[in-house]
Amino acid sequence: MKVSKGLYLVLAIFLGGLGIHKFYSGKWVQGLLYIAFCWTYIPVILSIVDIIIAMFKPSDEYGRIAF
């Protein structure tokens, strides 16, 4: 699934601890796990990793990245 790189990064930065960027990219199970464990702050650390990976992932001519 291809998603907008800019929107994915914005969602991961501001709502990454709740896993909203995972729902946006179509990974529902991971999104639910992020919500289930949001009180442990582990999803915050994982969303920082997701941000770094998405920043360096090349985008297509429309600014989309594939997951």
Side-chain angles (χ1 to χ4, degrees), residues 14-66:
F14 293 111
L15 299 170
L18 295 174
I20 303 302
H21 63 291
K22 292 293 185 181
F23 286 109
Y24 176 64
S25 63
K27 298 181 178 181
W28 294 92
V29 175
Q30 288 182 1
L32 291 173
L33 287 172
Y34 273 55
I35 289 176
F37 291 102
C38 68
W39 58 275
T40 64
Y41 295 105
I42 293 172
V44 174
I45 296 167
L46 294 175
S47 68
I48 292 171
V49 173
D50 290 337
I51 291 167
I52 293 169
I53 291 171
M55 283 176 50
F56 292 108
K57 189 174 275 200
S59 58
D60 65 1
E61 62 270 6
Y62 300 111
R64 298 178 298 183
I65 53 178

